[in-house]
Amino acid sequence: MQAACLLALSTLLPLPGHAAESTAVAALEQAQPKLVQWRRDLHQHPELGEQETRTAKLVADHLRALGLTVRTGIGKTGVVAVLKGAKSGPRIALRADMDALPVTEQTGLPFASTVKAEYRGQPVGVMHACGHDAHVAILMGVAQALVAAKDELAGEVMFVFQPAEEGPPVAGEVFGAALMLQEGVFKDFTPDAVFGLHVWAGLPVGSLGYRSGPLMAAADEWSLTVRGKQTHGSRPWDGVDPITLGAQILLGTQSMIARQVNIATSPVVLTAGQFQAGVRFNIIPDEAKLVGTLRTFDSAVREDVIARFRRIATDYAHASEGTAELQVVNNAPATINQPALTQRVRPSLEKAVGAANVVEMPLVTVAEDFSQFANTVPGFYFFVGSTSKGIDPATAPINHSPQFLLDEQALETGSRAMLQVALDYLGTPR
């Protein structure tokens, strides 16, 4: 009889974390209009990496209004705050990146960016062409929801608003997540796990994408300086043509990847984005410079490709009596979702949007310096579909396009998913 009464009573009592979940979910639902307002304001006022002063102030003011103690200026413009629940429990970090891109917007939105700036010495337009405005709005909303439930919450949450995910203003500088870590963002608060998300034009709105293990590539920025001997364009035999030599080296790298690297097991992409040389049509210059990116998913493959690239450059240059110097700077390691953490988190994604709307992603050759955090503590990163229904994600303007168009329903999907991930993790004993 006594056991039966206890069993009946237990069915009436809330499960651990249930009260916090109910409160937080309701608070997030009420905040959705604010998420749209924040996102549109940020979209209209984008800022390049390490220049996110207005964005950082908006974030810091919001977190202070929630009653949190805020640290600013980490990694130059980063903002961090920690929420302590009323009960003991795990520690987690939730991260959003804040910077925009040197892209001139072509969306035609009523809140489209008209901001102009300078990037690495060139005048540029500035646009949230990668969706970081949405990331900031989502995390601001999740912070508001979790604060609403703090009296029922078990554990602690660090909110990390990171600058300069897209890279440093000056090539080769420490930036973004790496700089925040270098300046001690996790020194006094070491999370048990760190979580991040990214809106993604390659998925329809309402869906989420994930992958266990390697998800996104490592990103290296390479610079190749080819030196020859200047001469008249009509007499190339009197000099050494660095333009032809640079082209030969670049084509040699593509043959190397196609014939010397097993891309069936570990994809590799090597791309030149700049080729600069000369000032006049009939003068062969003495120098050419190529700049580009290398994307890999395996550290050993990365080292092998760089060594082969350097050897190709040196050998081609030697054959032409020129010289070639290759410099490679790693901007981000590969983003790898810890398998055990992935297995633990996937049910949270399914709970947020339904199992049918959670898809396994292929390897993605874009890069993310969230990997710096995930190499420090266990990490999980997922994609949030942002392309409107009726538009084929395969043909929609992809992130970084001047026509990148975010369906704002992604704000609700992303914030609901991130909140569920946080609540479920905090609801499990440490």
Side-chain angles (χ1 to χ4, degrees), residues 37-205:
Q37 293 173 12
W38 290 328
R39 182 260 164 169
R40 293 185 179 185
D41 176 69
L42 292 165
H43 192 86
Q44 200 165 20
H45 301 92
E47 297 169 302
L48 295 174
E50 300 184 356
Q51 300 176 25
E52 308 96 335
T53 53
R54 183 185 183 276
T55 304
K57 184 179 185 304
L58 177 71
V59 168
D61 288 348
H62 174 65
L63 296 176
R64 290 191 184 102
L66 295 177
L68 300 176
T69 300
V70 178
R71 295 168 58 199
T72 61
I74 306 173
K76 298 192 176 177
T77 53
V79 180
V80 172
V82 174
L83 167 64
K84 293 187 177 183
K87 307 170 186 176
S88 63
R91 283 179 163 183
I92 62 172
L94 308 180
R95 175 270 201 170
D97 38 10
M98 303 189 294
D99 56 324
L101 284 161
V103 173
T104 301
E105 184 160 355
Q106 298 176 12
T107 62
L109 291 169
F111 51 90
S113 168
T114 58
V115 174
K116 306 293 181 184
E118 184 177 287
Y119 179 74
R120 297 191 180 183
Q122 298 184 32
V124 294
V126 184
M127 175 191 174
H128 270 296
C130 203
H132 296 183
D133 50 343
H135 302 170
V136 173
I138 285 170
L139 190 52
M140 288 171 69
V142 171
Q144 183 167 322
L146 288 171
V147 167
K150 68 178 180 179
D151 291 340
E152 301 141 351
L153 202 64
E156 301 174 60
V157 185
M158 173 182 278
F159 305 105
V160 180
F161 292 84
Q162 179 207 309
E165 185 277 328
E166 299 290 356
V170 178
E173 288 186 344
V174 180
F175 68 95
L179 185 57
M180 293 188 83
L181 287 167
Q182 183 175 294
E183 295 184 0
V185 66
F186 286 169
K187 181 180 178 182
D188 298 321
F189 183 100
T190 303
D192 299 307
V194 58
F195 301 101
L197 57 71
H198 206 301
V199 293
W200 189 241
L203 290 173
V205 71

Side-chain angles (χ1 to χ4, degrees), residues 138-362:
I138 285 170
L139 190 52
M140 288 171 69
V142 171
Q144 183 167 322
L146 288 171
V147 167
K150 68 178 180 179
D151 291 340
E152 301 141 351
L153 202 64
E156 301 174 60
V157 185
M158 173 182 278
F159 305 105
V160 180
F161 292 84
Q162 179 207 309
E165 185 277 328
E166 299 290 356
V170 178
E173 288 186 344
V174 180
F175 68 95
L179 185 57
M180 293 188 83
L181 287 167
Q182 183 175 294
E183 295 184 0
V185 66
F186 286 169
K187 181 180 178 182
D188 298 321
F189 183 100
T190 303
D192 299 307
V194 58
F195 301 101
L197 57 71
H198 206 301
V199 293
W200 189 241
L203 290 173
V205 71
S207 65
L208 301 173
Y210 81 101
R211 182 182 179 89
S212 181
L215 172 64
M216 287 181 286
D220 288 284
E221 184 173 344
W222 58 264
S223 174
L224 178 68
T225 302
V226 181
R227 296 182 178 89
K229 180 181 178 183
Q230 185 165 315
T231 187
H232 198 289
S234 68
R235 296 177 60 85
W237 50 84
D238 287 336
V240 176
D241 184 353
I243 296 176
T244 300
L245 178 53
Q248 289 173 331
I249 293 171
L250 183 60
L251 291 175
T253 63
Q254 303 307 302
S255 296
M256 173 263 290
I257 291 171
R259 291 293 177 266
Q260 299 175 29
V261 179
N262 185 355
I263 58 174
T265 58
S266 185
V268 175
V269 176
L270 194 152
T271 297
Q274 292 176 278
F275 195 143
Q276 300 172 339
V279 295
R280 185 174 165 81
F281 75 98
N282 65 347
I283 299 176
I284 293 175
D286 58 6
E287 184 176 291
K289 188 170 185 179
L290 291 82
V291 180
T293 186
L294 171 66
R295 304 298 169 106
T296 54
F297 292 90
D298 181 275
S299 59
V301 171
R302 172 184 175 270
E303 293 296 332
D304 179 60
V305 169
I306 292 172
R308 291 177 185 274
F309 188 174
R310 184 166 281 115
R311 187 163 59 247
I312 288 168
T314 300
D315 290 351
Y316 269 106
H318 178 73
S320 299
E321 298 184 338
T323 63
E325 180 184 356
L326 177 66
Q327 294 182 326
V328 182
V329 176
N330 182 247
N331 285 340
T335 299
I336 300 174
N337 284 333
Q338 188 193 63
L341 185 59
T342 303
Q343 185 177 5
R344 179 175 176 175
V345 169
R346 178 174 174 170
S348 300
L349 302 183
E350 294 177 345
K351 184 176 180 180
V353 300
N357 295 312
V358 178
V359 300
E360 187 171 359
M361 299 287 292

